[in-house]
Amino acid sequence: MKTPPNSEDELEEGNESEEASLLFREGARFGELHLEVGMKFGTKWEFREAVREYTIQESRSIKIVKNDNIRCRTMCKVKECPWVAYASRDHEDTCWQIKTFNDDHTCPREDKNRATNRNWVCSKLVKKGINGCKKCSVWG
């Protein structure tokens, strides 16, 4: 007995689930964030914050090399290290997408990371209240 070929709807659903897996979700738990080529972000700020979070998670220091209206390139602060994350606007200008991502760090991990400032710590510790408002939290 032969299996019938997939319908066009099933093929489209498969593409949507693959595409949905590449969308950045801000609520990822610390330590579970991963970046990959093709991942999409709503804004450049979301991309920068995701890279910041990722480098804190991996105990690395980065620098933003190129940062303008159409592209953003981040590199490891150690010159010999090949780690790089590059995102630019997609061709429809609807979102930002990672175009290049080399996750191979050749530098050692660091004990201190300047990206872990008090704003970052507070964003992790302060509970969000109604509709994500920190002022409406239980802590007052």
Side-chain angles (χ1 to χ4, degrees):
M1 184 166 199
K2 292 184 179 179
T3 306
N6 292 335
S7 69
E8 290 178 18
D9 294 336
E10 289 177 358
L11 291 175
E12 289 176 7
E13 288 174 7
N15 289 342
E16 288 176 8
S17 64
E18 182 179 318
E19 187 174 312
S21 68
L22 293 178
L23 291 175
F24 174 70
R25 289 174 307 199
E26 191 173 342
R29 295 180 63 183
F30 184 75
E32 296 177 359
L33 177 66
H34 75 282
L35 299 176
E36 59 184 272
V37 173
M39 186 174 275
K40 295 182 179 184
F41 302 85
T43 62
K44 179 174 63 171
W45 182 254
E46 282 183 9
F47 168 71
R48 289 180 57 181
E49 287 299 307
V51 169
R52 176 182 180 205
E53 183 83 18
Y54 184 75
T55 57
I56 291 170
Q57 168 184 301
E58 299 295 318
S59 301
R60 313 293 182 162
S61 291
I62 61 150
K63 61 182 175 181
I64 297 175
V65 179
K66 178 91 48 193
N67 185 22
D68 57 30
N69 292 335
I70 58 171
R71 61 190 169 218
C72 184
R73 179 181 300 273
T74 57
M75 300 178 77
C76 185
K77 283 190 175 182
V78 178
K79 290 191 179 210
E80 296 81 26
C81 184
W83 189 92
V84 64
Y86 173 78
S88 63
R89 283 191 168 176
D90 68 346
H91 62 281
E92 298 169 353
D93 284 343
T94 57
C95 65
W96 286 73
Q97 187 173 18
I98 295 179
K99 307 291 184 176
T100 305
F101 182 60
N102 183 358
D103 198 23
D104 297 327
H105 271 285
T106 57
C107 59
R109 291 183 182 262
E110 296 183 353
D111 294 0
K112 298 177 183 177
N113 191 330
R114 292 180 57 127
T116 55
N117 59 19
R118 66 179 168 194
N119 289 335
W120 180 84
V121 172
C122 286
S123 74
K124 298 300 170 195
L125 295 178
V126 174
K127 291 184 178 181
K128 293 182 181 177
I130 302 169
N131 297 327
C133 177
K134 292 180 181 177
K135 291 181 180 178
C136 302
S137 70
V138 178
W139 297 351

